[in-house]
């Protein structure tokens, strides 16, 4: 029997369609079908100038907005040969890590919810709120921060902001065991996730998977350590990996990544306090990138995001191609789902941690 899952559920916000062939309760074949969001951002980039495209690029993965705008800014800065002030670089790194924690907390709350556990989402959102407050204070935005600019950041952080950010990080660090102890070793949760949806390292590499999904399968790859950008070259970046490659390993990896990112954000804020100077570069009224092309990639919360920028010397990009993490990761569903039972399908789908706007960019 051929069964359609979607295109309205279970992907919640954003629509993914799964075309399943099922034999009773068992999935025989799966074809993930994407393209229902009609964003067309890559064509819109071609008629927006370099300041405006940051606003568009901010939105494809709405849980990683800071990282998205950062990647575009890095690509344009590389093509224009702009050297970003040191204070802006360290502030960007701190904010990127805070954004990573916010992203992971969303999935740490919503994933158990998808398989029947309602309590973790309340803990996860409590921690998110503490960090959202400091992100909102510095940028003015709660989801779409719009704080990056070509050449640095929009403005200086408010007086005393680093202290308040450090307090929020300390609060989240003290409270995280509430969420951790509740769900990591919960026997019902483990029964639903351990040994379910196993993605091998070879398959993860073949599909171009990256980020937490790939590292949970044993692929020890993280751009922050392997090809450092921003201030990551001056930091000791702990790369969390697992080898099981199942739903539980992917969830556990996100939990441990939150602890690692809290430490990284703390280290960045300490450095910000010791650096003075501007947080951006003065730009001409009309920003034009010289003719040429470049590729910048970043370790976004969901995996590797790539930005291929082609310029013909005008104020708009000739082409800006996005290589998004979710698009590559969700391809692996065609291998993961055949052979599983329909209830396990929900557990596997949720554990791939994708945002549909990141697929249909």
């Amino acid at each position: 029997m051929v069964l359609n899952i979607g295109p309205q559920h279970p992907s919640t916000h954003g629509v993914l369609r799964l075309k399943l062939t099922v034999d009773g309760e068992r999935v025989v074949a799966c074809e993930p079908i994407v393209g229902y969001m009609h964003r067309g951002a890559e064509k819109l980039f071609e008629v927006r100038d370099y300041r405006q495209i940051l606003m568009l690029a901010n939105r494809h993965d709405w849980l990683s907005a800071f990282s998205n705008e950062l990647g575009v800014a890095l690509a344009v800065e590389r093509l224009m040969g702009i050297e970003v002030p040191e204070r802006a670089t360290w502030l960007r790194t701190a904010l990127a890590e805070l954004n990573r924690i916010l992203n992971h907390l969303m999935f740490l709350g919503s994933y158990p919810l998808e398989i029947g556990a309602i309590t973790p989402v309340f803990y996860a959102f409590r921690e998110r709120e503490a960090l959202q407050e400091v992100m909102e204070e510095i940028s003015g935005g709660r989801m779409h921060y719009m704080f990056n600019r070509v050449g640095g950041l929009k403005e200086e952080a408010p007086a005393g902001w680093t202290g308040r950010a450090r307090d929020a990080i300390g609060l989240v660090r003290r409270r995280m065991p509430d969420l951790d102890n509740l769900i990591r070793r919960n026997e019902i949760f483990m029964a639903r996730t351990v040994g379910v949806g196993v993605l091998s390292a070879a398959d993860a590499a073949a599909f171009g998977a990256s980020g937490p999904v790939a590292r949970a399968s044993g692929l020890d790859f993280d751009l922050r350590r392997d090809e450092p950008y921003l201030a990551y070259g001056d930091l000791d970046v702990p790369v969390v990996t697992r080898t099981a490659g199942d739903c539980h390993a992917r969830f556990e990896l996100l939990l441990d990544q939150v602890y690692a990112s809290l430490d990284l954000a703390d280290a960045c804020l300490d450095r910000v306090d010791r650096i003075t100077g501007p947080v951006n570069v003065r730009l001409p009224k009309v920003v034009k990138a010289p003719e040429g092309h470049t590729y910048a990639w970043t370790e976004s919360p969901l995996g590797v995001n790539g930005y291929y920028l082609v310029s013909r010397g005008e104020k708009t990009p000739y082409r800006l191609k996005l290589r998004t993490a979710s698009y590559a990761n969700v391809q692996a569903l065609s291998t993961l789902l055949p052979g599983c039972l329909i209830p396990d399908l929900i557990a596997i789908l949720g554990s791939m941690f994708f945002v549909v706007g990141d697929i249909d960019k």
Side-chain angles (χ1 to χ4, degrees), residues 20-44:
L20 302 178
T21 307
V22 294
D23 180 7
E25 281 282 296
R26 198 163 293 281
V27 177
V28 178
C30 166
E31 183 187 354
I33 300 170
V34 303
Y36 287 93
M37 279 191 74
H38 307 298
R39 287 181 53 76
E42 291 175 351
K43 291 306 288 180
L44 293 172

PDB file of all heavy atoms in Angstrom, residues 20-44:
ATOM      1  N   LEU A  20       5.369   6.787   1.288  1.00  0.00           N
ATOM      2  CA  LEU A  20       5.761   5.509   1.877  1.00  0.00           C
ATOM      3  C   LEU A  20       5.103   4.349   1.156  1.00  0.00           C
ATOM      4  O   LEU A  20       3.933   4.422   0.761  1.00  0.00           O
ATOM      5  CB  LEU A  20       5.322   5.433   3.345  1.00  0.00           C
ATOM      6  CG  LEU A  20       5.816   6.482   4.318  1.00  0.00           C
ATOM      7  CD1 LEU A  20       5.218   6.220   5.688  1.00  0.00           C
ATOM      8  CD2 LEU A  20       7.330   6.485   4.397  1.00  0.00           C
ATOM      9  N   THR A  21       5.853   3.269   1.005  1.00  0.00           N
ATOM     10  CA  THR A  21       5.253   1.991   0.617  1.00  0.00           C
ATOM     11  C   THR A  21       5.264   1.140   1.874  1.00  0.00           C
ATOM     12  O   THR A  21       6.329   0.907   2.461  1.00  0.00           O
ATOM     13  CB  THR A  21       6.073   1.303  -0.501  1.00  0.00           C
ATOM     14  OG1 THR A  21       6.234   2.232  -1.579  1.00  0.00           O
ATOM     15  CG2 THR A  21       5.378   0.051  -0.991  1.00  0.00           C
ATOM     16  N   VAL A  22       4.079   0.727   2.325  1.00  0.00           N
ATOM     17  CA  VAL A  22       4.003  -0.014   3.589  1.00  0.00           C
ATOM     18  C   VAL A  22       3.394  -1.396   3.368  1.00  0.00           C
ATOM     19  O   VAL A  22       2.545  -1.590   2.503  1.00  0.00           O
ATOM     20  CB  VAL A  22       3.179   0.765   4.661  1.00  0.00           C
ATOM     21  CG1 VAL A  22       3.879   2.035   5.070  1.00  0.00           C
ATOM     22  CG2 VAL A  22       1.775   1.061   4.179  1.00  0.00           C
ATOM     23  N   ASP A  23       3.887  -2.328   4.172  1.00  0.00           N
ATOM     24  CA  ASP A  23       3.336  -3.683   4.191  1.00  0.00           C
ATOM     25  C   ASP A  23       2.823  -3.892   5.609  1.00  0.00           C
ATOM     26  O   ASP A  23       3.601  -4.169   6.529  1.00  0.00           O
ATOM     27  CB  ASP A  23       4.430  -4.690   3.849  1.00  0.00           C
ATOM     28  CG  ASP A  23       3.911  -6.127   3.860  1.00  0.00           C
ATOM     29  OD1 ASP A  23       2.688  -6.297   4.012  1.00  0.00           O
ATOM     30  OD2 ASP A  23       4.728  -7.058   3.745  1.00  0.00           O
ATOM     31  N   GLY A  24       1.526  -3.682   5.823  1.00  0.00           N
ATOM     32  CA  GLY A  24       0.982  -3.693   7.178  1.00  0.00           C
ATOM     33  C   GLY A  24       1.526  -2.494   7.945  1.00  0.00           C
ATOM     34  O   GLY A  24       1.375  -1.356   7.513  1.00  0.00           O
ATOM     35  N   GLU A  25       2.197  -2.765   9.065  1.00  0.00           N
ATOM     36  CA  GLU A  25       2.775  -1.693   9.892  1.00  0.00           C
ATOM     37  C   GLU A  25       4.223  -1.387   9.520  1.00  0.00           C
ATOM     38  O   GLU A  25       4.835  -0.505  10.103  1.00  0.00           O
ATOM     39  CB  GLU A  25       2.728  -2.101  11.379  1.00  0.00           C
ATOM     40  CG  GLU A  25       1.379  -1.924  12.026  1.00  0.00           C
ATOM     41  CD  GLU A  25       1.093  -0.477  12.394  1.00  0.00           C
ATOM     42  OE1 GLU A  25       1.794   0.088  13.239  1.00  0.00           O
ATOM     43  OE2 GLU A  25       0.153   0.098  11.811  1.00  0.00           O
ATOM     44  N   ARG A  26       4.777  -2.138   8.573  1.00  0.00           N
ATOM     45  CA  ARG A  26       6.208  -1.978   8.277  1.00  0.00           C
ATOM     46  C   ARG A  26       6.421  -1.162   7.004  1.00  0.00           C
ATOM     47  O   ARG A  26       5.762  -1.378   5.994  1.00  0.00           O
ATOM     48  CB  ARG A  26       6.868  -3.357   8.140  1.00  0.00           C
ATOM     49  CG  ARG A  26       8.392  -3.299   8.261  1.00  0.00           C
ATOM     50  CD  ARG A  26       8.983  -4.664   8.529  1.00  0.00           C
ATOM     51  NE  ARG A  26       8.656  -5.226   9.827  1.00  0.00           N
ATOM     52  CZ  ARG A  26       9.251  -4.892  10.971  1.00  0.00           C
ATOM     53  NH1 ARG A  26      10.206  -3.978  10.973  1.00  0.00           N
ATOM     54  NH2 ARG A  26       8.901  -5.477  12.094  1.00  0.00           N
ATOM     55  N   VAL A  27       7.368  -0.240   7.088  1.00  0.00           N
ATOM     56  CA  VAL A  27       7.709   0.596   5.933  1.00  0.00           C
ATOM     57  C   VAL A  27       8.637  -0.196   5.017  1.00  0.00           C
ATOM     58  O   VAL A  27       9.671  -0.712   5.455  1.00  0.00           O
ATOM     59  CB  VAL A  27       8.400   1.908   6.391  1.00  0.00           C
ATOM     60  CG1 VAL A  27       8.822   2.744   5.186  1.00  0.00           C
ATOM     61  CG2 VAL A  27       7.468   2.713   7.302  1.00  0.00           C
ATOM     62  N   VAL A  28       8.273  -0.307   3.754  1.00  0.00           N
ATOM     63  CA  VAL A  28       9.092  -1.058   2.784  1.00  0.00           C
ATOM     64  C   VAL A  28      10.004  -0.099   2.013  1.00  0.00           C
ATOM     65  O   VAL A  28      11.164  -0.398   1.732  1.00  0.00           O
ATOM     66  CB  VAL A  28       8.182  -1.847   1.810  1.00  0.00           C
ATOM     67  CG1 VAL A  28       9.019  -2.586   0.780  1.00  0.00           C
ATOM     68  CG2 VAL A  28       7.298  -2.806   2.584  1.00  0.00           C
ATOM     69  N   ALA A  29       9.454   1.072   1.644  1.00  0.00           N
ATOM     70  CA  ALA A  29      10.245   2.047   0.893  1.00  0.00           C
ATOM     71  C   ALA A  29       9.775   3.450   1.273  1.00  0.00           C
ATOM     72  O   ALA A  29       8.623   3.638   1.678  1.00  0.00           O
ATOM     73  CB  ALA A  29      10.108   1.823  -0.605  1.00  0.00           C
ATOM     74  N   CYS A  30      10.682   4.416   1.153  1.00  0.00           N
ATOM     75  CA  CYS A  30      10.337   5.794   1.501  1.00  0.00           C
ATOM     76  C   CYS A  30      10.970   6.742   0.501  1.00  0.00           C
ATOM     77  O   CYS A  30      12.155   6.621   0.175  1.00  0.00           O
ATOM     78  CB  CYS A  30      10.835   6.119   2.906  1.00  0.00           C
ATOM     79  SG  CYS A  30      10.826   7.892   3.258  1.00  0.00           S
ATOM     80  N   GLU A  31      10.175   7.673   0.026  1.00  0.00           N
ATOM     81  CA  GLU A  31      10.696   8.740  -0.847  1.00  0.00           C
ATOM     82  C   GLU A  31      10.358  10.098  -0.219  1.00  0.00           C
ATOM     83  O   GLU A  31       9.192  10.483  -0.184  1.00  0.00           O
ATOM     84  CB  GLU A  31      10.056   8.640  -2.233  1.00  0.00           C
ATOM     85  CG  GLU A  31      10.614   9.667  -3.210  1.00  0.00           C
ATOM     86  CD  GLU A  31       9.854   9.691  -4.539  1.00  0.00           C
ATOM     87  OE1 GLU A  31       8.968   8.832  -4.755  1.00  0.00           O
ATOM     88  OE2 GLU A  31      10.130  10.600  -5.339  1.00  0.00           O
ATOM     89  N   PRO A  32      11.372  10.797   0.331  1.00  0.00           N
ATOM     90  CA  PRO A  32      11.089  12.133   0.865  1.00  0.00           C
ATOM     91  C   PRO A  32      10.881  13.110  -0.305  1.00  0.00           C
ATOM     92  O   PRO A  32      11.702  13.162  -1.230  1.00  0.00           O
ATOM     93  CB  PRO A  32      12.351  12.498   1.656  1.00  0.00           C
ATOM     94  CG  PRO A  32      13.274  11.338   1.556  1.00  0.00           C
ATOM     95  CD  PRO A  32      12.779  10.442   0.477  1.00  0.00           C
ATOM     96  N   ILE A  33       9.795  13.848  -0.281  1.00  0.00           N
ATOM     97  CA  ILE A  33       9.499  14.797  -1.359  1.00  0.00           C
ATOM     98  C   ILE A  33       9.480  16.200  -0.773  1.00  0.00           C
ATOM     99  O   ILE A  33       8.711  16.486   0.152  1.00  0.00           O
ATOM    100  CB  ILE A  33       8.150  14.466  -2.037  1.00  0.00           C
ATOM    101  CG1 ILE A  33       8.215  13.039  -2.621  1.00  0.00           C
ATOM    102  CG2 ILE A  33       7.828  15.474  -3.129  1.00  0.00           C
ATOM    103  CD1 ILE A  33       6.887  12.510  -3.111  1.00  0.00           C
ATOM    104  N   VAL A  34      10.344  17.049  -1.303  1.00  0.00           N
ATOM    105  CA  VAL A  34      10.485  18.402  -0.761  1.00  0.00           C
ATOM    106  C   VAL A  34       9.986  19.413  -1.791  1.00  0.00           C
ATOM    107  O   VAL A  34       9.645  19.064  -2.911  1.00  0.00           O
ATOM    108  CB  VAL A  34      11.963  18.688  -0.393  1.00  0.00           C
ATOM    109  CG1 VAL A  34      12.476  17.661   0.599  1.00  0.00           C
ATOM    110  CG2 VAL A  34      12.857  18.721  -1.637  1.00  0.00           C
ATOM    111  N   GLY A  35       9.943  20.672  -1.402  1.00  0.00           N
ATOM    112  CA  GLY A  35       9.627  21.729  -2.359  1.00  0.00           C
ATOM    113  C   GLY A  35       8.275  22.380  -2.173  1.00  0.00           C
ATOM    114  O   GLY A  35       7.774  23.038  -3.078  1.00  0.00           O
ATOM    115  N   TYR A  36       7.666  22.217  -0.999  1.00  0.00           N
ATOM    116  CA  TYR A  36       6.322  22.758  -0.795  1.00  0.00           C
ATOM    117  C   TYR A  36       6.320  24.187  -0.251  1.00  0.00           C
ATOM    118  O   TYR A  36       5.272  24.792  -0.134  1.00  0.00           O
ATOM    119  CB  TYR A  36       5.531  21.851   0.158  1.00  0.00           C
ATOM    120  CG  TYR A  36       5.118  20.551  -0.496  1.00  0.00           C
ATOM    121  CD1 TYR A  36       5.914  19.419  -0.391  1.00  0.00           C
ATOM    122  CD2 TYR A  36       3.946  20.466  -1.250  1.00  0.00           C
ATOM    123  CE1 TYR A  36       5.551  18.235  -1.001  1.00  0.00           C
ATOM    124  CE2 TYR A  36       3.580  19.283  -1.860  1.00  0.00           C
ATOM    125  CZ  TYR A  36       4.375  18.176  -1.744  1.00  0.00           C
ATOM    126  OH  TYR A  36       4.018  17.005  -2.362  1.00  0.00           O
ATOM    127  N   MET A  37       7.492  24.716   0.116  1.00  0.00           N
ATOM    128  CA  MET A  37       7.476  26.036   0.760  1.00  0.00           C
ATOM    129  C   MET A  37       7.684  27.194  -0.212  1.00  0.00           C
ATOM    130  O   MET A  37       7.414  28.336   0.112  1.00  0.00           O
ATOM    131  CB  MET A  37       8.515  26.103   1.878  1.00  0.00           C
ATOM    132  CG  MET A  37       7.990  25.456   3.139  1.00  0.00           C
ATOM    133  SD  MET A  37       9.008  25.758   4.569  1.00  0.00           S
ATOM    134  CE  MET A  37       8.651  27.450   4.927  1.00  0.00           C
ATOM    135  N   HIS A  38       8.194  26.915  -1.406  1.00  0.00           N
ATOM    136  CA  HIS A  38       8.307  27.934  -2.460  1.00  0.00           C
ATOM    137  C   HIS A  38       8.991  29.218  -1.987  1.00  0.00           C
ATOM    138  O   HIS A  38       8.493  30.321  -2.183  1.00  0.00           O
ATOM    139  CB  HIS A  38       6.916  28.295  -3.020  1.00  0.00           C
ATOM    140  CG  HIS A  38       6.125  27.113  -3.468  1.00  0.00           C
ATOM    141  ND1 HIS A  38       6.543  26.284  -4.480  1.00  0.00           N
ATOM    142  CD2 HIS A  38       4.948  26.602  -3.040  1.00  0.00           C
ATOM    143  CE1 HIS A  38       5.656  25.315  -4.660  1.00  0.00           C
ATOM    144  NE2 HIS A  38       4.690  25.480  -3.785  1.00  0.00           N
ATOM    145  N   ARG A  39      10.132  29.082  -1.329  1.00  0.00           N
ATOM    146  CA  ARG A  39      10.785  30.284  -0.814  1.00  0.00           C
ATOM    147  C   ARG A  39      11.514  31.063  -1.923  1.00  0.00           C
ATOM    148  O   ARG A  39      11.420  32.264  -1.997  1.00  0.00           O
ATOM    149  CB  ARG A  39      11.767  29.925   0.303  1.00  0.00           C
ATOM    150  CG  ARG A  39      11.052  29.538   1.585  1.00  0.00           C
ATOM    151  CD  ARG A  39      12.018  29.205   2.695  1.00  0.00           C
ATOM    152  NE  ARG A  39      12.983  30.262   2.909  1.00  0.00           N
ATOM    153  CZ  ARG A  39      12.729  31.406   3.533  1.00  0.00           C
ATOM    154  NH1 ARG A  39      11.542  31.637   4.008  1.00  0.00           N
ATOM    155  NH2 ARG A  39      13.668  32.313   3.671  1.00  0.00           N
ATOM    156  N   GLY A  40      12.260  30.328  -2.735  1.00  0.00           N
ATOM    157  CA  GLY A  40      12.940  30.987  -3.857  1.00  0.00           C
ATOM    158  C   GLY A  40      13.948  32.035  -3.440  1.00  0.00           C
ATOM    159  O   GLY A  40      14.197  33.001  -4.165  1.00  0.00           O
ATOM    160  N   ALA A  41      14.556  31.852  -2.261  1.00  0.00           N
ATOM    161  CA  ALA A  41      15.464  32.882  -1.737  1.00  0.00           C
ATOM    162  C   ALA A  41      16.661  33.119  -2.662  1.00  0.00           C
ATOM    163  O   ALA A  41      17.101  34.251  -2.829  1.00  0.00           O
ATOM    164  CB  ALA A  41      15.954  32.487  -0.345  1.00  0.00           C
ATOM    165  N   GLU A  42      17.146  32.054  -3.302  1.00  0.00           N
ATOM    166  CA  GLU A  42      18.353  32.209  -4.120  1.00  0.00           C
ATOM    167  C   GLU A  42      18.110  33.120  -5.327  1.00  0.00           C
ATOM    168  O   GLU A  42      19.018  33.811  -5.782  1.00  0.00           O
ATOM    169  CB  GLU A  42      18.867  30.832  -4.563  1.00  0.00           C
ATOM    170  CG  GLU A  42      19.426  30.027  -3.389  1.00  0.00           C
ATOM    171  CD  GLU A  42      19.834  28.619  -3.783  1.00  0.00           C
ATOM    172  OE1 GLU A  42      19.529  28.213  -4.920  1.00  0.00           O
ATOM    173  OE2 GLU A  42      20.456  27.947  -2.952  1.00  0.00           O
ATOM    174  N   LYS A  43      16.900  33.110  -5.879  1.00  0.00           N
ATOM    175  CA  LYS A  43      16.579  34.047  -6.970  1.00  0.00           C
ATOM    176  C   LYS A  43      16.377  35.453  -6.421  1.00  0.00           C
ATOM    177  O   LYS A  43      16.759  36.445  -7.064  1.00  0.00           O
ATOM    178  CB  LYS A  43      15.312  33.596  -7.722  1.00  0.00           C
ATOM    179  CG  LYS A  43      15.463  32.335  -8.530  1.00  0.00           C
ATOM    180  CD  LYS A  43      16.615  32.393  -9.517  1.00  0.00           C
ATOM    181  CE  LYS A  43      16.357  33.316 -10.697  1.00  0.00           C
ATOM    182  NZ  LYS A  43      17.510  33.348 -11.635  1.00  0.00           N
ATOM    183  N   LEU A  44      15.778  35.556  -5.242  1.00  0.00           N
ATOM    184  CA  LEU A  44      15.566  36.886  -4.650  1.00  0.00           C
ATOM    185  C   LEU A  44      16.893  37.564  -4.308  1.00  0.00           C
ATOM    186  O   LEU A  44      16.997  38.787  -4.358  1.00  0.00           O
ATOM    187  CB  LEU A  44      14.703  36.768  -3.386  1.00  0.00           C
ATOM    188  CG  LEU A  44      13.254  36.325  -3.607  1.00  0.00           C
ATOM    189  CD1 LEU A  44      12.572  36.053  -2.288  1.00  0.00           C
ATOM    190  CD2 LEU A  44      12.478  37.380  -4.393  1.00  0.00           C
TER     191      LEU A  44
END
